[in-house]
Amino acid sequence: MYDEFLVFTQRLAQNVGDLLYRDCQNTKLIEHKGAVDLVTQFDRQSQDLIVKDIEQRYPDHGILSEEDIMKDSANPMKWIIDPLDGTTNFAHGLPIWSLSIALEREGDVIVGVVYDPTRQELFSAQQGRGAWLNGVLIKISTTADLDKALLVTGFPYDIRESTMNNLDHFGKFALCSQAVRRLGSAALDLCYTACGRFDGYWERKLSPWDQAAGSLIVKEAGGMITDFAGEPFSIYGDQVLATNGMIHEQMIDILNRRP
Ligand code: IPD
Ligand code: CA
Ligand code: CA
């Protein structure tokens, strides 16, 4: 039913991502949005290209994109875009970054695409139809014990100012899992959980564009996604816990354990 949108989004993410990759060695003009929150001209260039194509093809759809674009519309379709997820890595030349494009219909994400141009890995999902990596169906892992689980997380940009900076949870999981990683692209964290490279991922204070596409990819790959209390996940919410389902309760237990 949403095939047309899926194909359009896959092509768009790939085309723009490959252009960014071609130019990513060029000088980066780095601006600070906050003490540790960066933006480059490539974030804006990527956003311009993505938004231009969407507006050309679907002029009456709404758009929410990270670098200050919020176009409301009476049409129930809304595009949610992170034109460059992993800007800190990108700015330092660390090749772990992605583009994330999702299409929401009346509050439900129906199509999600995350593209990693460095590895030419295209993750995508369509509601009710499954999730794929480069066209091949993906599934979550089967690790049942937190003790054996490889986890991933991230830290919010207010890490220096707020005590809710995830350092406490990071410390706890580091002691009771196989290991915890911090890659720096929430969209890829979700996709890597979806395809079984990670068994679980938690983070807080993300924005809708960080998690819209990736959350659908996790669900469609058979994963479980909730907030830290096990309540339904929302891309507009403050917490994300995405796992293979088998270690979900064990992670909720740690997330809610008193010091
Ligand atoms: C960030 C990345 C990072 C996460 C941050 C996000 P950006 O997105 O996804 O992994 O920990 O909270 O804001 O700023 O690179 O698009
Ligand atoms: Ca992001
Ligand atoms: Ca971004």
Side-chain angles (χ1 to χ4, degrees):
M1 181 177 174
Y2 301 123
D3 286 359
E4 173 205 319
F5 297 123
L6 179 69
V7 172
F8 168 79
T9 314
Q10 287 171 327
R11 279 206 198 115
L12 182 56
Q14 240 170 338
N15 289 342
V16 176
D18 289 342
L19 283 178
L20 279 188
Y21 184 72
R22 189 196 64 190
D23 296 340
C24 73
Q25 305 299 339
N26 295 353
T27 308
K28 291 161 188 120
L29 307 171
I30 297 167
E31 286 169 44
H32 282 256
K33 296 201 269 190
V36 288
D37 189 1
L38 311 178
V39 63
T40 72
Q41 81 271 33
F42 291 100
D43 298 70
R44 300 213 168 88
Q45 186 194 337
S46 173
Q47 174 169 283
D48 290 349
L49 292 168
I50 294 168
V51 168
K52 187 171 122 256
D53 260 31
I54 291 175
E55 285 186 325
Q56 219 159 45
R57 177 92 172 246
Y58 304 110
D60 61 332
H61 286 188
I63 300 179
L64 172 65
S65 183
E66 181 175 5
E67 309 309 333
D68 300 325
I69 294 194
M70 201 201 272
K71 178 179 154 194
D72 283 327
S73 159
N75 191 301
M77 299 294 201
K78 188 202 248 172
W79 295 87
I80 303 176
I81 303 159
D82 192 335
L84 208 171
D85 186 51
T87 297
T88 306
N89 290 347
F90 182 88
H92 286 264
L94 181 67
I96 306 175
W97 49 274
S98 61
L99 293 79
S100 173
I101 310 177
L103 179 59
E104 187 191 70
R105 183 174 192 273
E106 286 166 352
D108 277 343
V109 179
I110 55 168
V111 162
V113 173
V114 174
Y115 183 51
D116 168 1
T118 308
R119 293 166 192 78
Q120 298 195 321
E121 288 193 329
L122 183 76
F123 294 90
S124 49
Q126 191 185 147
Q127 190 185 50
R129 298 287 293 278
W132 306 271
L133 166 53
N134 292 343
V136 178
L137 273 173
I138 51 174
K139 270 201 84 56
I140 35 78
S141 71
T142 52
T143 309
D145 265 343
L146 185 55
D147 189 52
K148 309 244 166 13
L150 184 60
L151 306 180
V152 66
T153 190
F155 300 95
Y157 283 124
D158 63 0
I159 186 167
R160 296 181 183 181
E161 294 90 42
S162 168
T163 51
M164 284 214 304
N165 56 12
N166 197 26
L167 291 172
D168 53 344
H169 284 145
F170 182 81
K172 285 181 186 155
F173 281 119
L175 295 177
C176 68
S177 64
Q178 185 148 75
V180 183
R181 302 288 180 245
R182 195 296 193 239
L183 296 189
S185 164
L188 287 179
D189 295 337
L190 285 162
C191 292
Y192 284 14
T193 303
C195 72
R197 292 174 185 170
F198 291 123
D199 305 300
Y201 163 63
W202 85 96
E203 189 158 351
R204 63 188 313 166
K205 300 184 186 172
L206 289 175
S207 298
W209 44 80
D210 297 312
Q211 44 191 354
S215 60
L216 181 68
I217 294 169
V218 166
K219 280 184 210 161
E220 291 296 327
M224 185 174 280
I225 186 160
T226 66
D227 68 8
F228 292 177
E231 296 298 323
F233 167 80
S234 162
I235 61 166
Y236 302 98
D238 172 58
Q239 302 168 343
V240 55
L241 172 63
T243 73
N244 62 7
M246 303 177 83
I247 59 163
H248 211 81
E249 279 306 319
Q250 298 165 66
M251 287 192 71
I252 287 180
D253 186 42
I254 300 291
L255 288 166
N256 295 293
R257 197 171 283 178
R258 300 254 167 247

